Structure formats: C-alpha cells, structure tokens
Amino acid sequence: MIYSEISHHRLVSQKLYKTSAFSPQEIVHHLGAMQAQDYAMAKWAVGSRCHASEKEIEEAVNSAKIIRTHILRPTWHFVSADDIYWMLDLSAPQVKRFTVAAAKKYGFDAKKLDQINSSIEKLLAGNNHLTRDEIMQELNIKKSSKEDFLSAAIMMNAELDGLVCNGEMKGKQITYALLEERVLKPKTKLTKEEGLAKLALRYFESHGPATALDFSWWSGFPPTICQKTINAIELQLSGVTIDNQQYWFKKHHSDLDNFRESVHFLPAFDEILISYKTREASILQEHQTLAFTNNGIFKPIILENGRVIGTWKRTIKKDHAKIETKFFNETESSKKAILFEGIKTFENYLETKIVIE
C-alpha cells in the first residue's frame, strides 16, 4: 500500500462500495459511532452506505435500533443499540467533564444535576417522549439564549449518565425518552481496558487505514492511552508504515479492495473526513477550507475515486429536491454529466425527483 491508496482503502472499510446488503443498524454497528449533530445529513451518512430509504432509516431511529445521543466527543452520534451501554460506560466519564463544567456556570453542581435527573426520570417514565423544550418547561427552566445552553448541558448530562436518549420524532422535533425503556440493559459490563480494545478494533476495522492520532481524535481519548490500546490489540490488526507514519487496518483485508471508479455525494460531517485527525489522504490541503472550517463546520462533499473534488447542497421542494454543486476546479460539462450519475443513489434514498442546478 502507498499513501495515494489510503483513500481508496477507506472507501472499502467504510462500506461506501456497497458490495453487500446491510441494514441501517448494521452500518451504524460497523462504524461504531457516526457523528450526527445534523440529523438530516446523519441519516444520509447511513443511507449512502446501504440501500435503505430515508424513511427506513428514520424508522430504525424511532424504533431504537439506532440510538442518537451524545457519546465519545461532546457531540451527537448515532450508535447501535447493541453498543450503547458499553460505549457509554467507556466514554461518558471523559465527556461529562465538559457538561459538568458548562452546567456549573449556571449554578448547577453535580448534586443539583442528580436532582434534575430524578425529575427527568419521573417526567419520561412510562414511555413518555418529550422534547427538550417540554422537559425544560416542566422543570421551570425558562427558554432564553442563556438558558438554552443550560438546557443543552442538562440533557447531555442525562444522556451521559445513561438516563435518556433520543425518543421518537414529533414531526420534525427531536424528543427524549428513558434509555432503559428503549434498550434492555445488559447484565455484564466490560472493564475499561476491554472497552478500549473493543472500540479501537471497531475503529480500525471500519475506518482504517488510520493512525493512532486519528483514533485519538475520533474516540476522544488521549494519544498515550490510544497507543497503549493499539499495542494490546496489535496482533488482531494489520499495519503498514508510509512516510514514517504507522497506519492500522483490518486484518486479512478482502480481495474486494480492487480499485474501481466511483462517485459519492456524501453528507456534511461524513465519517470519510471527520473521523480522521489529518485529511490530506482524501482532500488536498488547498481545498480544505472550501470543505470545512476551522471551527468544525463540514459541508456536504463530492467524492470521486476517494478524493474530494467539490461540495454540494440540497434544497427540499414540494415535489423534488434541488441540488447545487461547486467544483474546486473547472469541470467540463461532459465530465459533470458522468459525475451526476452518482446522485441517483440520493434520489432513491429520498424517494423523490432530483433537479441539478
């Protein structure tokens, strides 16, 4: 393997070639955790890797086969119901430092947050699914720009404590429900070392080739802990040194790795970019500011043969979806026509007509 091949191998490990049929929950399980603060785009991140429609993916979320919650880094993620408890046990203590610090600014210490959790539990008991605004209203926390930060910290803390997760959607509004009423709690727990090993193995099998620093960025754990974990599971992985940098990936990589032409219209915050500390394997340095900002805003991207060549955006209309594209370099009309064939999967996913402008 050479450096220029890394992006291709990542297409394989991230299931973007769709060589086999997978359900939405199987895709999420394979990837471990998929960043999901933009709910509409997060659903397409799953849909771009399987043959499910948006409605089918939303049903998987509503039925708790896929859980949307705060985990790993302090942001929303999709995680499989099979993984939610052990992953929370592992990552919640480190992420809670952020939420506790945020709540303290408003006079909410750990004791007060525990009291709030008890009140939230009573509100949601019996499969009662409420929006954040509805919960805050019952808690008598008024809605303002200041209190909105507080309410976010309160609900994130409740998620990290394993009390709540996403409930069923109310139209376009996100709700919360009790986690244990949605997903049965397992009887056994992993040790921290077992959890780290499981997380690392999942990451490198689904995101490799990747480095220890990539895993540290994605998982939120310090580089020293990540390297120690890699050392513990090294025999279960394959490795290659490229430009004095060690990359890890799934052992016994499949013969399906053979290069093939491909075009993908991927969502904002897709794992193909956001799950790596450095991203030069997939996007040239001079194009990076066109695809994502320094403060962590990622745009939907157009990927040709594993390389980002432009960005796109969608606008949902009554009877169609409008797609607008921006290519980094001048692109001939004949080439665009070929590239636009890649948008057909998005048309099938939305189950509506696509109009490209």
Side-chain angles (χ1 to χ4, degrees):
M1 185 187 301
I2 59 176
Y3 186 78
S4 61
E5 295 175 331
I6 291 174
S7 59
H8 159 64
H9 285 279
R10 288 176 178 174
L11 291 179
V12 176
S13 62
Q14 289 210 19
K15 302 296 186 190
L16 280 164
Y17 275 156
K18 295 196 223 180
T19 52
S20 302
F22 291 98
S23 67
Q25 55 268 31
E26 286 173 331
I27 290 295
V28 175
H29 176 78
H30 171 74
L31 286 160
M34 300 176 69
Q35 194 150 330
Q37 71 266 49
D38 186 324
Y39 181 55
M41 283 292 170
K43 287 184 289 182
W44 172 230
V46 178
S48 64
R49 292 164 168 83
C50 64
H51 298 289
S53 67
E54 183 178 29
K55 291 178 182 176
E56 290 170 323
I57 294 166
E58 184 145 310
E59 175 53 33
V61 177
N62 280 336
S63 63
K65 293 174 183 175
I66 296 171
I67 300 296
R68 184 171 180 262
T69 191
H70 284 82
I71 207 165
L72 297 186
R73 306 181 303 280
T75 188
W76 290 99
H77 280 90
F78 278 154
V79 62
S80 165
D82 293 337
D83 294 322
I84 181 63
Y85 284 108
W86 72 263
M87 210 174 282
L88 267 179
D89 288 341
L90 178 65
S91 69
Q94 67 175 2
V95 185
K96 269 178 69 74
R97 295 198 302 267
F98 297 96
T99 59
V100 170
K104 271 186 178 179
K105 294 179 182 178
Y106 304 100
F108 281 68
D109 59 14
K111 183 179 179 181
K112 197 165 184 179
L113 286 172
D114 287 342
Q115 292 171 344
I116 289 286
N117 274 359
S118 296
S119 298
I120 292 173
E121 186 173 12
K122 291 175 183 175
L123 287 173
L124 299 179
N127 286 302
N128 194 20
H129 297 204
L130 299 176
T131 66
R132 190 170 79 183
D133 286 348
E134 289 170 337
I135 293 170
M136 292 304 117
Q137 187 175 2
E138 292 294 331
L139 296 176
N140 201 28
I141 296 176
K142 296 179 181 178
K143 184 177 181 180
S144 69
S145 57
K146 177 183 175 182
E147 277 72 20
D148 200 44
F149 286 108
L150 172 60
S151 64
I154 286 172
M155 296 312 301
M156 196 186 302
N157 181 74
E159 289 173 302
L160 294 166
D161 281 342
L163 178 64
V164 304
C165 64
N166 69 287
E168 294 182 3
M169 294 291 291
K170 282 187 178 180
K172 294 185 178 181
Q173 288 190 297
I174 294 163
T175 70
Y176 291 87
L178 294 181
L179 177 59
E180 288 192 31
E181 289 187 347
R182 306 215 82 199
V183 182
L184 187 65
K185 195 168 188 178
K187 294 180 181 179
T188 59
K189 285 190 174 187
L190 300 178
T191 66
K192 184 176 180 179
E193 290 71 23
E194 289 170 337
L196 280 167
K198 187 172 184 175
L199 190 68
L201 195 59
R202 186 78 60 84
Y203 175 76
F204 289 110
E205 288 185 345
S206 62
H207 293 76
T211 68
L213 285 178
D214 291 329
F215 176 53
S216 175
W217 154 251
W218 179 82
S219 68
F221 285 95
T224 51
I225 290 177
C226 291
Q227 187 59 60
K228 185 178 179 181
T229 302
I230 292 168
N231 293 343
I233 64 167
E234 186 174 343
L235 294 178
Q236 299 177 65
L237 296 170
S238 291
V240 62
T241 301
I242 305 174
D243 295 336
N244 298 316
Q245 182 67 62
Q246 186 72 23
Y247 289 83
W248 301 98
F249 50 95
K250 182 180 180 181
K251 204 170 186 68
H252 308 306
H253 229 35
S254 169
D255 290 334
L256 294 172
D257 298 3
N258 295 328
F259 177 80
R260 70 197 70 179
E261 297 284 333
S262 66
V263 175
H264 296 89
F265 282 70
L266 296 178
F269 303 100
D270 192 82
E271 292 289 303
I272 202 69
L273 283 188
I274 204 167
S275 60
Y276 305 98
K277 177 69 173 177
T278 57
R279 304 171 177 111
E280 286 79 7
S282 297
I283 182 170
L284 294 176
Q285 185 74 39
E286 60 264 33
H287 294 154
Q288 292 190 10
T289 56
L290 302 174
F292 52 87
T293 64
N294 287 334
N295 60 347
I297 303 301
F298 283 69
K299 297 178 182 179
I301 54 173
I302 304 169
L303 208 67
E304 182 187 26
N305 300 329
R307 303 286 291 181
V308 182
I309 61 169
T311 61
W312 63 286
K313 69 176 182 178
R314 74 170 189 179
T315 305
I316 302 298
K317 302 291 186 178
K318 185 177 181 180
D319 60 349
H320 70 279
K322 182 178 76 172
I323 301 294
E324 299 171 81
T325 59
K326 285 186 179 179
F327 294 96
F328 299 149
N329 297 316
E330 190 67 32
T331 306
E332 296 177 3
S333 296
S334 58
K335 173 75 176 293
K336 285 184 180 180
I338 296 171
L339 292 171
F340 290 153
E341 287 293 308
I343 203 65
K344 285 185 176 179
T345 56
F346 191 57
E347 187 172 59
N348 296 333
Y349 162 82
L350 286 178
E351 298 180 302
T352 191
K353 182 182 176 183
I354 294 289
V355 175
I356 301 173
E357 295 186 355

